[in-house]
Amino acid sequence: MEDPRELLRRAGEMTAGVIAGIGPGRLGDPTPCTEWDVRALINHLVSGNLRFAAMITGEPGPGREDDVLGADPLAAFRGSVAALRAAFDADGVMDRTFRTPTGEGPGRMLAGLRVCELTVHGWDLAAATGQPRDLDPAVVEFASGVFRGRPLPRGGPAPFAAEQQAPAGAPAADRLAAFAGRQVPAPAAP
């Protein structure tokens, strides 16, 4: 895998753009991730970013269930992306090996996993709040390659449902979401 830090920056900006489009009245809306509403899904992303940054720096991070959003979800998200990027930008991090809950892996793999997480959940947030789902093509292509390059844990308590059928002519981001087990809404009528 090439150095994914530029894609991580782009995925962070892309998802921040989606979060910026979410009004406070939409935070309780359901998402394609049925266990989380919009606010909880943003919290999941922020918490994940902070946990990965902590894994890299060796400092304590938040627990999976901690509420890390505060009163401004967008500011919390942007701050978490800045912390994550700073951690990955440290000398030698991309080639160091880190212990993760799913085994050991190099920094470049961890950065790639965050790109995938931000991409799929950015799509989830856009779909949940009626925003355009035309995500950054380079980021979507990268995430698609990662997801299709290995078996995904699917079903039951696994993070991915069975692959779904995307509507005919669906854009790449919708096809990625369907591969990740999301029901993709039909395109809006012109």
Side-chain angles (χ1 to χ4, degrees), residues 1-12 84-95 107-108 111-112 115 142:
M1 173 186 305
E2 293 182 26
D3 187 336
R5 287 180 286 193
E6 174 60 18
L7 289 170
L8 180 63
R9 180 192 66 75
R10 289 172 68 166
L84 184 65
R85 289 186 56 214
F88 279 118
D89 284 343
D91 286 341
V93 165
M94 298 310 283
D95 295 315
R108 71 185 63 255
V115 171
F142 174 84

Side-chain angles (χ1 to χ4, degrees), residues 162-173:
E163 181 177 358
Q164 302 297 307
Q165 184 69 38

Side-chain angles (χ1 to χ4, degrees), residues 27-117:
L27 293 175
D29 287 0
T31 71
C33 301
T34 56
E35 68 272 25
W36 294 312
D37 63 14
V38 168
R39 187 184 192 289
L41 183 52
I42 298 169
N43 189 72
H44 169 74
L45 286 173
V46 171
S47 177
N49 289 342
L50 295 175
R51 283 194 323 278
F52 269 65
M55 187 184 322
I56 291 165
T57 63
E59 298 176 14
R64 286 187 178 274
E65 303 303 320
D66 290 351
D67 186 336
V68 293
L69 285 190
D72 189 343
L74 179 59
F77 179 78
R78 285 184 172 149
S80 74
V81 170
L84 184 65
R85 289 186 56 214
F88 279 118
D89 284 343
D91 286 341
V93 165
M94 298 310 283
D95 295 315
R96 277 186 31 219
T97 299
F98 296 92
R99 285 191 187 157
T100 75
T102 59
E104 293 187 347
R108 71 185 63 255
M109 180 193 78
L110 299 181
L113 291 175
R114 288 316 295 162
V115 171
C116 293
E117 180 92 351

